[in-house]
Amino acid sequence: MSAPASSQVSPPAIAARHVTSGGTRVYTLSVPAFPHFAANVFLVVRGQSSAPTYTALVDTGGSHEASTAALEAGLDAIRSEYGEAWSWETLSRVVVTHPHPDHVAGLPFVRGKTAAPVAAHEWAAQTIENPHGDPAARQAEMEDHIRWLGLTGGGSLENGTGAEYAERLRRRARNTMLPETVEVRTPLREGNVLDDIFTVIHTPGHEGSQICLRVDDLLLSADHLLPRNSPPLMPQRFQRGAGLRSYLASLDHIEQLEGVSVALGGHDGPMPDWRGRIQQLRDRYDDKLRAVLDAAAGPTTIHDLTHALHPRLRPIQAILLLDQTAALAEYLAARGELQATRREDGAALFVRA
Ligand SMILES: [Zn+2]
């Protein structure tokens, strides 16, 4: 999932085609995963076009009809425009890069079309197989998080937004990532080679269980590396593997890949200069970290820090930015650049060390 604010709807796409150094065709379909937000789905094809020996769908888009209809139309176009004789019946594999709704929520629809086994990182399997989880535990965790963010006490600002944001967060905790349970037949780990084609690279940060997939000289970089947005981050305290420390380590991790000529992310277009993009993202986060340090002259909650950093914050962006600020503050505290204390009501307070 990426910040909706700066994104636009892409038209239901005619697929873009990449051919890897090994001759594998990778088709990118842009589907309206959310009403105003497009995500990429990939069809990976090996063998002769008239009789492919292997076909895989990477990610699924959203669950609502505009998304699934665009997915079907795009897949049809790959058959009619490019002559790829793929079909749902012969699909070899479905891979999920990470269990965010713009990538995984279409999975039950896809499961209705194909019996192809699903692969995802082993940490994602639980979310996909048991999307409803334990609702009471999730709500309790969210209430703790709401207090920690400083949304319950009277903030130093008179904007009265804490209650509204808390309500949005509670709503988010009630929403599940996908509407129905789907079996993950093949749990993946760092370094696995799936079906002799995808090298699995575990890239926690944006989401703890996120994977990138390498096919020959092409990298499917999921939401780890995107051409236009810095991926939204959650604090590690709220999700295993989330947070800025993991994110930056995962940037280092993929930067070491040799022989990758293009990266295709979970949103927007291809990144031929993917190493340059890694450096831009590091610079972006350095700027954001400096801004947090500047704003934390006195003990400040995440809620107040977020407003100090984003004075014209719109409610729709707020919960993503609260998470992002929390991830930045948590990272700075772990490095000793911020000191973290607790207010009586449980809110975390951060101040420059
Ligand atoms: Zn996404």
Side-chain angles (χ1 to χ4, degrees):
M1 179 168 23
S2 212
S6 58
S7 298
Q8 291 163 358
V9 185
S10 303
I14 293 295
R17 169 176 144 130
H18 286 83
V19 181
T20 71
S21 52
T24 300
R25 283 90 70 202
V26 177
Y27 295 88
T28 308
L29 293 173
S30 173
V31 301
F34 298 143
H36 299 284
F37 189 55
N40 292 331
V41 178
F42 302 94
L43 185 72
V44 177
V45 187
R46 247 188 195 177
Q48 294 206 334
S49 295
S50 57
T53 51
Y54 179 87
T55 52
L57 195 67
V58 177
D59 285 341
T60 65
S63 60
H64 63 99
E65 215 216 313
S67 185
T68 56
L71 175 62
E72 285 226 278
L75 290 169
D76 283 348
I78 293 170
R79 209 162 21 225
S80 58
E81 306 286 317
Y82 293 99
E84 300 283 11
W86 83 278
S87 71
W88 288 116
E89 290 72 32
T90 57
L91 189 73
S92 316
R93 174 65 76 180
V94 178
V95 192
V96 173
T97 62
H98 63 298
H100 277 171
D102 48 336
H103 303 271
V104 76
L107 187 58
F109 168 82
V110 166
R111 168 52 72 241
K113 297 276 179 185
T114 175
V118 174
H121 190 268
E122 57 184 351
W123 296 355
Q126 198 185 357
T127 311
I128 295 169
E129 296 192 329
N130 187 14
H132 303 291
D134 177 346
R138 212 164 53 218
Q139 285 300 333
E141 207 176 52
M142 182 52 85
E143 290 306 321
D144 175 65
H145 193 53
I146 284 168
R147 273 191 299 278
W148 184 85
L149 291 167
L151 298 177
T152 47
S156 62
L157 296 165
E158 292 174 38
N159 42 43
T161 51
E164 185 188 346
Y165 299 162
E167 209 32 62
R168 283 177 181 268
L169 284 164
R170 288 185 188 108
R171 221 177 304 148
R172 184 177 75 182
R174 281 194 293 271
N175 288 339
T176 51
M177 288 294 169
L178 67 166
E180 297 166 37
T181 176
V182 175
E183 184 198 4
V184 175
R185 193 88 53 82
T186 316
L188 301 172
R189 288 180 179 192
E190 164 68 22
N192 285 168
V193 177
L194 176 66
D195 301 341
D196 245 5
I197 176 165
F198 297 108
T199 303
V200 175
I201 305 157
H202 184 205
T203 52
H206 167 65
E207 201 279 333
S209 68
Q210 181 174 244
I211 53 171
C212 295
L213 298 163
R214 180 174 183 166
V215 186
D216 305 325
D217 63 333
L218 183 144
L219 181 69
L220 295 175
S221 60
D223 285 2
H224 181 48
L225 197 60
L226 296 170
R228 293 172 54 206
N229 300 335
S230 52
L233 299 179
M234 278 195 183
Q236 184 181 7
R237 75 179 297 279
F238 195 63
Q239 185 192 74
R240 178 188 190 185
L244 185 57
R245 198 169 61 122
S246 295
Y247 180 70
L248 294 174
S250 294
L251 286 182
D252 294 348
H253 187 174
I254 62 165
E255 190 181 37
Q256 287 159 18
L257 297 172
E258 296 291 339
V260 169
S261 58
V262 66
L264 305 179
H267 304 272
D268 301 313
M271 291 168 277
D273 182 20
W274 61 278
R275 283 177 197 276
R277 185 61 189 145
I278 288 174
Q279 196 48 50
Q280 281 175 358
L281 283 161
R282 287 193 187 117
D283 294 345
R284 262 316 272 289
Y285 281 105
D286 277 345
D287 292 346
K288 292 180 190 199
L289 288 168
R290 248 190 308 276
V292 172
L293 282 173
D294 286 346
T300 316
T301 64
I302 297 295
H303 180 204
D304 288 343
L305 269 178
T306 304
H307 274 279
L309 295 166
H310 309 279
R312 284 184 300 278
L313 187 63
R314 289 181 297 145
I316 192 157
Q317 305 167 290
I319 58 173
L320 283 176
L321 288 171
L322 283 167
D323 282 336
Q324 174 104 331
T325 305
L328 296 166
E330 170 193 76
Y331 176 78
L332 288 166
R335 287 179 16 146
E337 295 182 59
L338 286 179
Q339 272 174 1
T341 53
R342 287 288 183 120
R343 206 164 61 184
E344 263 177 31
D345 66 354
L349 295 170
F350 294 91
V351 62
R352 266 202 308 270

